Amino acid sequence: MSDRPAFDLVVRNARVATASDSFVSDIGIRDGVIQQLGHGLAAGAREIDAAGRVVTPGGVDAHCHLDQPMAPPVRMADDFDSGTRAAACGGTTTVIPFAAQVKGQSLRAAVDDYHARAQGRAHIDHAFHLIVSDPTPEVLGRELPELIREGYTSFKIYMTYDDLKLDDGQILDVLEVARRHDAMAMIHAENADCIAWLTRRLEAAGRTAPRFHAHARPMLVEREATHRAISLAELIDVPILIVHVSGREAVEQIRWARAQGLKVFAETCPQYLFLTAEDLGIDDSYKGARCVCSPPPRDKQNQQVIWDGLSDGLFTVFSSDHAPFRYDGTEGKKPNGEEVAFQHIPNGIPGIETRLPLLYSEGVLGGRITLQRFVELTATNPAKAYGLHPRKGTIAIGSDADLVIWDEGERTVRNAALHHDVDYTPYEGMALRAWPGVTIAGGEVLWDGQAFHPRRGQGRYLRRGRPSLLPARPTSPRPPAA
Ligand code: DUC
Ligand code: ZN
Ligand code: ZN
């Protein structure tokens, strides 16, 4: 008989939280997988006592941007090394960033390039969504169906940004592929022509400071595009997921769609709970460039609308939309070191490490959402939406041993204590009520509350299955009624 202990790691006396339950249990881990749940488990080679502490599934951040190619001089501050390091220290154990097609490029080339960027660098498991920006007949007829079959079972499409946006006919074409091949279409919903028109007006009036970014993208541009996306999906009869919903007007469209029985899912992000348009500046200071993202943060009333949607089931997924650009230097918010007009500021804010602590602290401990809803939004639903469940997103026998042990107690957010390669956090100085005390990925401790334990290159690429938020469509037509 081997002397090997029964488990590589046992987490004892955990208050385990899943999307449906909360119970006290030991968690026995072997070969990176949860082998047993119960009381009085046999010894592990390593043991962690979690008595009195909540243990949730490792977070699945299903919307983040890492080392995504950008037009020079702009460059993302985080690659798969620093981005997944920061993710792990914030309790996230799986990320799904984007393999982005540049117009004129084949989708396959974009995927190959992205694998090369991830190769040997990731500390945690990862999969890729696609971004489809050039739906040529070759992409629609061959590449996209092939890639979906290979496990790239979701893609994002844009209704804005000149280098990415699709027109309505193109959106219908790609949604038809999603329907035929059972992929999840994620939609960035903002009306490009309205934004361009407003931008020209603002520029002509000399209103070019960062805060005018929010004036160029009022809620109606998001509302109109959200409604249009819903209508296009209804025409094709395909589920869609509207990403980074910012406030009341888009929320109302999604509630309306749901009431019609349409299969419209929705995502929101921390910036729509904790930032407002004032963070883009109340005067013409350039510092507001740090919080320029799209859609822009709204106001306090809209923050409440987003909280309500998190609590009542409107939202399916809570992601970071981490899009990391340094404030100082030449490759980020000041391209070539210059303060530029708002429409030239790279869009995006960092948030991969703060996503879970913010929601756990202000949502769960702030009494706004249940612990079960927290797990559902941050781990279980993203794993289901993107074909990773039940391997990811839950605490169950046979699931990967990806866990967060929470430390409750006051903690102030300081960029100096974060692990990304960005030189600021929008949440600097915020007092939180909790932080991940231990992050375990694949059965190994990556973050112990004080130090990061690197596993560079050991994060695995995950080939994904079909989305499982909805039952599979029947594979053959129903027999005729007798
Ligand atoms: N908006 C996006 O759509 N993606 C990245 C960041 C942002 O602000
Ligand atoms: Zn987007
Ligand atoms: Zn994004």
Side-chain angles (χ1 to χ4, degrees):
M1 240 178 64
S2 138
D3 290 341
R4 186 178 172 191
F7 301 106
D8 302 323
L9 172 64
V10 178
V11 179
R12 295 217 180 260
N13 309 308
R15 173 155 292 282
V16 174
T18 68
S20 58
D21 299 298
S22 178
F23 53 93
V24 175
S25 177
D26 298 342
I27 306 169
I29 297 163
R30 190 166 169 134
D31 298 330
V33 170
I34 298 173
Q35 298 285 351
Q36 202 175 342
L37 296 169
H39 297 290
L41 260 52
R46 181 171 181 186
E47 302 238 347
I48 298 174
D49 186 8
R53 292 196 287 172
V54 169
V55 178
T56 57
V60 177
D61 194 345
H63 184 161
C64 54
H65 303 266
L66 300 176
D67 200 13
Q68 195 173 308
M70 307 296 297
V74 176
R75 198 173 63 91
M76 287 198 166
D78 284 317
D79 64 6
F80 278 83
D81 180 355
S82 63
T84 62
R85 175 181 72 205
C89 296
T92 288
T93 50
T94 303
V95 289
I96 319 181
F98 298 86
Q101 180 196 26
V102 176
K103 281 195 204 297
Q105 185 189 32
S106 86
L107 255 187
R108 175 72 61 184
V111 168
D112 290 347
D113 171 71
Y114 211 48
H115 274 290
R117 289 168 185 261
Q119 184 61 39
R121 291 191 177 86
H123 300 272
I124 59 174
D125 293 350
H126 50 280
F128 304 160
H129 303 291
L130 308 171
I131 289 176
V132 180
S133 67
D134 199 0
T136 60
E138 170 70 3
V139 166
L140 294 168
R142 197 177 60 80
E143 286 202 308
L144 188 51
E146 265 179 25
L147 286 163
I148 294 169
R149 275 194 291 275
E150 288 172 30
Y152 303 88
T153 51
S154 53
F155 54 79
K156 184 174 177 190
I157 52 179
Y158 287 80
M159 299 172 85
T160 188
Y161 294 136
D162 286 345
D163 48 347
L164 295 170
K165 71 177 184 219
L166 305 187
D167 64 29
D168 291 356
Q170 292 173 313
I171 293 173
L172 289 169
D173 282 342
V174 294
L175 290 181
E176 196 180 24
V177 177
R179 177 184 159 83
R180 194 172 319 122
H181 298 277
D182 210 3
M184 180 62 85
M186 310 161 73
I187 305 190
H188 179 131
E190 288 184 297
N191 179 311
D193 286 345
C194 289
I195 295 168
W197 189 89
L198 287 165
T199 300
R200 284 195 298 275
R201 287 295 183 96
L202 288 161
E203 193 172 24
R207 299 178 164 212
T208 58
R211 69 190 170 105
F212 293 109
H213 174 78
H215 296 227
R217 303 174 107 98
M219 282 210 288
L220 85 82
V221 310
E222 187 185 6
R223 180 231 301 164
E224 186 282 330
T226 301
H227 187 84
R228 188 158 31 105
I230 290 166
S231 304
L232 299 175
E234 182 181 2
L235 188 58
I236 302 293
D237 184 22
V238 67
I240 52 169
L241 190 147
I242 311 279
V243 294
H244 45 50
V245 172
S246 73
R248 180 177 57 79
E249 298 199 19
V251 163
E252 284 172 353
Q253 299 306 310
I254 295 161
R255 284 200 197 282
W256 172 82
R258 294 265 184 89
Q260 311 305 305
L262 301 173
K263 296 174 185 81
V264 175
F265 299 105
E267 172 204 78
T268 193
C269 312
Q271 47 271 39
Y272 307 115
L273 295 175
F274 301 107
L275 302 180
T276 69
E278 289 197 355
D279 289 296
L280 275 60
I282 48 172
D283 55 21
D284 285 354
S285 154
Y286 197 74
K287 291 207 164 35
R290 287 183 288 203
C291 292
V292 164
C293 62
S294 296
R298 307 300 182 183
D299 60 19
K300 290 272 180 212
Q301 286 77 26
N302 281 286
Q303 291 180 350
Q304 188 54 49
V305 170
I306 299 296
W307 276 118
D308 292 344
L310 287 169
S311 157
D312 69 18
L314 178 89
F315 288 110
T316 314
V317 173
F318 186 76
S319 308
S320 70
D321 199 7
H322 180 77
F325 300 103
R326 294 176 71 84
Y327 179 67
D328 281 315
T330 57
E331 298 178 330
K333 295 286 186 177
K334 297 177 190 163
N336 290 319
E338 284 163 24
E339 298 187 357
V340 294
F342 71 84
Q343 68 271 35
H344 303 300
I345 299 170
N347 276 211
I349 62 172
I352 205 164
E353 190 168 353
T354 42
R355 174 183 74 121
L356 295 181
L358 284 168
L359 192 66
Y360 190 92
S361 172
E362 300 313 296
V364 179
L365 300 180
R368 295 179 172 100
I369 60 170
T370 64
L371 182 55
Q372 273 55 55
R373 190 78 182 114
F374 170 85
V375 173
E376 186 173 59
L377 286 159
T378 58
T380 315
N381 276 353
K384 287 182 177 174
Y386 302 119
L388 290 171
H389 189 264
R391 178 174 178 185
K392 301 293 184 186
T394 192
I395 298 177
I397 293 166
S399 295
D400 283 355
D402 297 347
L403 306 168
V404 183
I405 305 175
W406 287 89
D407 273 355
E408 296 184 14
E410 197 174 315
R411 159 105 177 222
T412 303
V413 179
R414 296 279 176 224
N415 196 57
L418 298 180
H419 298 81
H420 57 195
D421 268 346
V422 186
D423 53 358
Y424 73 96
T425 168
Y427 312 108
E428 184 76 31
M430 253 184 92
L432 299 187
R433 307 167 215 238
W435 200 266
V438 180
T439 305
I440 296 167
E444 290 182 36
V445 173
L446 263 68
W447 166 248
D448 64 12
Q450 303 294 324
F452 174 63
H453 303 280
R455 286 203 312 168
R456 193 170 190 270
Q458 288 180 58
R460 297 162 294 186
Y461 170 74
L462 303 167
R463 183 184 171 129
R464 293 181 286 130
R466 59 171 295 280
S468 64
L469 283 171
L470 294 169
R473 269 203 311 275
T475 48
S476 53
R478 276 201 219 151

